[in-house]
Amino acid sequence: MADDVVVVCRQLSRIYDDDGVPVNALDGVDFDVTRGDFVSLAGPSGSGKSTLLNLIGGLDEPTSGNVVVDGTNLADLDQSQRSDLRLNKIGFVFQSYNLIPVLTARENVEFIMQLQGVHAAERHRRAIDMLSSLGIGDLGDRRPGELSGGQQQRVAVARAIVTHPVLLLADEPSANLDSKTTEGLLDLLRTINREHGVTIITATHDPMVMSYARRRVHLKDGRIESDERAGALTV
Amino acid sequence: MPTDAVSVGHLSEARKSPPLLAAIAWRNLWRNTRRTWLTSGGVAFAVFLVVIARSFQDGSFDVMIDNATGMLTGHAQIQNVAFADDPSLRNTVADASRIARRIAGDPNVAAVAQRGLAFALVSVGERSFGAQVMGVEPDAERVISTLPALVREGTYLEKADDVVIGAALARNLGAHVGDEIVVLGTAKDGSIAAFAGDIAGIIDTGIAEVERGLLQIPLPQFQAAFGLGDEAHAIVVRVHGLDAVDAVNTDGLGDELDYLPWQRLMPEIDQTVELKRVGTRVIFGLVTLLVTFSVFNTFIMLVYERVREFGMLLAVGMRPRAIVAMLELEAVWLAVVGVGLGLLVSTALVLAVAQVGIPLPDVGEVLRQYHLPDRIFPSLSTSAMVEGAVLMCIAVPLAGLLPALRIVRLAPVTALRSDA
């Protein structure tokens, strides 16, 4: 695998069992992502975009095929090793933020670093710096329930990137946000992508999210229907 | 932004030091305040029950053992090794005075008394009865035995030829204070042992079996009459608290002598105490089982409600075992809250009741007849506190473990899609 390719998917299939009926969520997909890219996976519900994202993140296991992330074949890893890979190389941003409700914004960001073994003083400093750089430095002592949706999503982004991941996976990151907050979030993701070189893959229905991506992959019925980059269209 | 991964060394270090995990676990505990109080209340009740029941039980056992041993047996005795099976005049403790002085020097020992024991024919006037003649040290007996205080008529032993006898024996002999009494038996060398004295006092124990054969004379007269020299049959020991019985230094007693704690002297009392303790433990076991089921149920609900959250934690890189550990920390906190509460309330109650005791009006008269107190005074049982706390601190995390282990098999993607 070339050094500039961070994700390699080969003949990736995922068949779910729906009350005895096999459902082909992903059907032999080949998909590569180069380092530093900003990719949006689009398509209607059931097209396989979230399934692809979950397989790349090691949250789900393919029925057949391979996923390689930053040179590591996920098939070679057990569940704990996949946890370690996610902890150190992949950041997640979820549709419903998924912050730890009993921790403050700063503690949510610190928590991930503690899992990594970062010492208390350093993780405290880095969490404050990260929240400040995302414009929510004054909200560090608030718990998720005391924050708006947009603020929670920023905390989630801070948590995802504070560990310096090679890959940021965002599943419908704008689904619960209004258009103005979405725009702010996308500006933030673009900055992270451009200035920090973090590869971003997002699964979305939202045209605004797609418009921020440099590469737009359209899925339908578990297959890649179109793969568009900077005005060019490849299939 | 650098993208290098964190070293494995740092990872393992983080997983060994869970202060934030402990904080999360503590805060998670209070996400459902009512449920936490209900569950920890169950734990507290179990601890409360253990401590209260055992404290009252220990208090009554202490009184029972003290009364049982206080009349005659003492907390322990030093005897000839053969005496327990063959309580004959020959099986003596040689050099008894020296051994008694040595034992009396032990800091655990409160009092020591030598005794000689022999069966003899006792006569007053025309009537004769068999009795166990006991040669005693009057001053030491006043400290070690309750009998001197139970003299109903006359006085306890004051002069060399004084004799005290049990009330039942006095009735059988038709004897009164001041009557002359003659003791006839067999001395150690086989010759006739004889002693004549005056009845100085009559002892009323309330226990006919004891009084029927009870006769005490001063030890020097006993030793002279039965040809014992400085020999005795028992060195009776009273210690500072029952727990000190086994702490007495008995080194150097030799093969000829045996140190018998009250459990060997009065095995029926020891067995009664042990039987009641076993019964109490069975009840505690059942209560613990109930509490364990309650905690188990709480954790099933708790895991079910937070599946999505666990999916998120798995997704951000927390290992399944770390999540199980976090839940176990919640169980430990739950146990700590319950145990703390239970210990606090039970200790306060035991200490308060120990000041005044609990009156037993219905059986008080009977107890007084046997010279027992007519109130129960609980004795704070530290062993019950430790047992209750340890039991709950093991049972609660164990009860939480089974539901928590579900997380090990949890697929992150399934958990994240959970609607719970």
Side-chain angles (χ1 to χ4, degrees):
Chain A
M1 188 180 69
D3 281 348
D4 61 343
V5 179
V6 73
V7 175
V8 178
C9 301
R10 288 289 173 267
Q11 286 301 300
L12 207 53
S13 294
R14 181 67 171 98
I15 301 170
Y16 291 113
D17 183 79
D18 185 10
D19 284 337
V21 180
V23 177
N24 226 350
L26 215 54
D27 187 11
V29 167
D30 289 323
F31 177 62
D32 294 355
V33 178
T34 51
R35 198 177 298 277
D37 211 345
F38 188 155
V39 182
S40 77
L41 303 175
S45 293
S47 61
K49 55 188 186 301
S50 289
T51 302
L52 181 56
L53 206 67
N54 289 334
L55 291 172
I56 292 170
L59 301 179
D60 197 5
E61 291 185 41
T63 308
S64 63
N66 267 331
V67 179
V68 177
V69 174
D70 200 31
T72 304
N73 190 338
L74 301 194
D76 297 336
L77 307 180
D78 62 23
Q79 203 178 356
S80 290
Q81 288 169 322
R82 268 185 235 157
S83 290
D84 289 349
L85 180 89
R86 286 193 293 269
L87 179 65
N88 296 309
K89 294 194 174 182
I90 305 173
F92 278 93
V93 175
F94 304 97
Q95 175 182 336
S96 49
Y97 327 129
N98 281 344
L99 298 173
I100 301 171
V102 296
L103 297 185
T104 64
R106 178 182 52 74
E107 287 169 336
N108 262 284
V109 179
E110 272 195 50
F111 176 67
I112 298 299
M113 287 187 282
Q114 193 196 1
L115 293 180
Q116 287 190 318
V118 178
H119 290 289
E122 189 189 344
R123 64 174 189 252
H124 188 81
R125 178 187 60 73
R126 276 169 60 182
I128 289 173
D129 288 351
M130 182 56 70
L131 291 171
S132 298
S133 71
L134 300 189
I136 47 172
D138 56 335
L139 303 177
D141 291 330
R142 294 199 193 169
R143 289 194 182 184
E146 300 165 339
L147 300 173
S148 70
Q151 289 167 338
Q152 286 187 60
Q153 197 60 298
R154 279 178 180 259
V155 176
V157 171
R159 180 181 65 182
I161 64 173
V162 76
T163 56
H164 306 161
V166 293
L167 184 62
L168 179 66
L169 302 178
D171 191 3
E172 303 283 8
S174 62
N176 292 331
L177 304 178
D178 59 43
S179 59
K180 190 178 173 198
T181 312
T182 298
E183 197 174 344
L185 174 70
L186 291 171
D187 284 339
L188 179 64
L189 292 180
R190 185 153 62 188
T191 304
I192 291 165
N193 173 248
R194 286 183 178 169
E195 294 183 8
H196 301 299
V198 178
T199 308
I200 297 176
I201 306 174
T202 174
T204 185
H205 283 100
D206 189 343
M208 192 188 291
V209 177
M210 293 179 215
S211 71
Y212 271 73
R214 285 206 291 265
R215 179 181 168 198
R216 294 159 209 152
V217 177
H218 199 272
L219 288 104
K220 188 178 179 186
D221 297 331
R223 292 168 177 270
I224 293 177
E225 191 179 54
S226 66
D227 192 342
E228 188 182 51
R229 175 182 288 280
L233 186 68
T234 55
V235 179
Chain B
M1 179 180 285
T3 56
D4 50 325
V6 172
S7 73
V8 171
H10 275 179
L11 273 176
S12 57
E13 182 193 322
R15 277 151 189 167
K16 282 175 191 168
S17 57
L20 195 54
L21 272 193
I24 295 173
W26 174 254
R27 292 181 202 174
N28 277 335
L29 200 62
W30 301 105
R31 283 164 77 165
N32 191 327
T33 312
R34 183 185 298 177
R35 186 167 64 195
T36 296
W37 279 124
L38 275 175
T39 313
S40 60
V43 175
F45 175 72
V47 173
F48 175 83
L49 199 69
V50 170
V51 175
I52 288 288
R54 279 281 299 280
S55 295
F56 275 85
Q57 206 175 45
D58 284 3
S60 63
F61 286 162
D62 286 352
V63 171
M64 185 172 83
I65 294 165
D66 236 29
N67 279 287
T69 58
M71 187 173 286
L72 269 174
T73 316
H75 289 149
Q77 289 188 10
I78 294 167
Q79 297 176 352
N80 186 302
V81 287
F83 191 78
D85 294 329
D86 178 17
S88 79
L89 197 67
R90 292 187 310 278
N91 295 323
T92 57
V93 177
D95 207 5
S97 306
R98 186 186 60 78
I99 293 169
R101 278 196 303 275
R102 222 209 78 201
I103 293 295
D106 189 301
N108 295 297
V109 173
V112 168
Q114 302 172 60
R115 284 183 193 153
L117 299 164
F119 285 94
L121 190 69
V122 180
S123 304
V124 173
E126 299 295 313
R127 292 190 186 180
S128 298
F129 273 89
Q132 185 181 52
V133 180
M134 197 180 290
V136 298
E137 299 175 290
D139 290 340
E141 287 294 326
R142 285 188 177 91
V143 178
I144 216 161
S145 165
T146 56
L147 285 181
L150 299 177
V151 173
R152 188 187 66 193
E153 289 177 53
T155 60
Y156 193 61
L157 303 173
E158 289 178 350
K159 299 196 296 288
D161 59 350
D162 277 353
V163 178
V164 289
I165 61 174
L169 182 60
R171 274 195 303 278
N172 291 338
L173 290 169
H176 303 283
V177 172
D179 288 352
E180 186 183 49
I181 188 165
V182 176
V183 175
L184 279 175
T186 307
K188 189 182 177 187
D189 61 3
S191 62
I192 292 174
F195 173 82
D198 297 324
I199 298 175
I202 294 173
I203 293 173
D204 182 4
T205 63
I207 306 168
E209 291 78 13
V210 174
E211 292 174 5
R212 207 170 285 137
L214 179 65
L215 188 148
Q216 290 188 340
I217 63 174
L219 183 64
Q221 280 64 40
F222 179 92
Q223 288 169 325
F226 288 90
L228 290 175
D230 188 30
E231 295 168 79
H233 293 102
I235 296 172
V236 184
V237 179
R238 185 167 184 81
V239 291
H240 295 292
L242 289 170
D243 292 342
V245 170
D246 295 327
V248 174
N249 181 7
T250 57
D251 292 345
L253 285 182
D255 297 338
E256 289 290 306
L257 302 180
D258 201 359
Y259 177 81
L260 298 142
W262 65 268
Q263 293 94 330
R264 285 176 65 192
L265 293 166
M266 307 182 87
E268 68 283 359
I269 299 280
D270 188 39
Q271 285 158 7
T272 303
V273 167
E274 201 46 49
L275 197 66
K276 288 188 176 181
R277 283 193 171 138
V278 168
T280 312
R281 283 202 175 98
V282 169
I283 293 170
F284 297 156
L286 291 174
V287 172
T288 303
L289 203 63
L290 283 175
V291 171
T292 305
F293 273 117
S294 160
V295 174
F296 179 72
N297 186 49
T298 296
F299 270 77
I300 284 179
M301 287 304 297
L302 185 150
V303 170
Y304 174 76
E305 288 167 1
R306 285 164 51 191
V307 164
R308 191 185 176 88
E309 182 181 319
F310 299 142
M312 175 271 292
L313 292 171
L314 290 169
V316 298
M318 196 167 179
R319 283 183 173 186
R321 276 178 297 176
I323 300 174
V324 173
M326 185 180 75
L327 278 170
E328 281 295 279
L329 279 172
E330 289 181 32
V332 169
W333 280 128
L334 189 71
V336 167
V337 170
V339 166
L341 195 66
L343 289 181
L344 196 72
V345 176
S346 55
T347 302
L349 187 67
V350 168
L351 292 179
V353 174
Q355 301 298 314
V356 290
I358 292 183
L360 301 168
D362 294 339
V363 291
E365 192 57 40
V366 177
L367 292 172
R368 267 194 300 279
Q369 189 185 335
Y370 289 94
H371 311 286
L372 294 169
D374 57 358
R375 284 170 181 262
I376 289 183
F377 290 89
S379 161
L380 188 62
S381 170
T382 47
S383 65
M385 293 169 79
V386 172
E387 278 177 31
V390 170
L391 195 64
M392 284 299 135
C393 286
I394 292 171
V396 173
L398 268 181
L401 185 60
L402 202 58
L405 283 175
R406 186 186 157 201
I407 292 159
V408 174
R409 300 185 304 273
L410 197 64
V413 70
T414 312
L416 282 166
R417 284 179 186 150
S418 167
D419 292 328

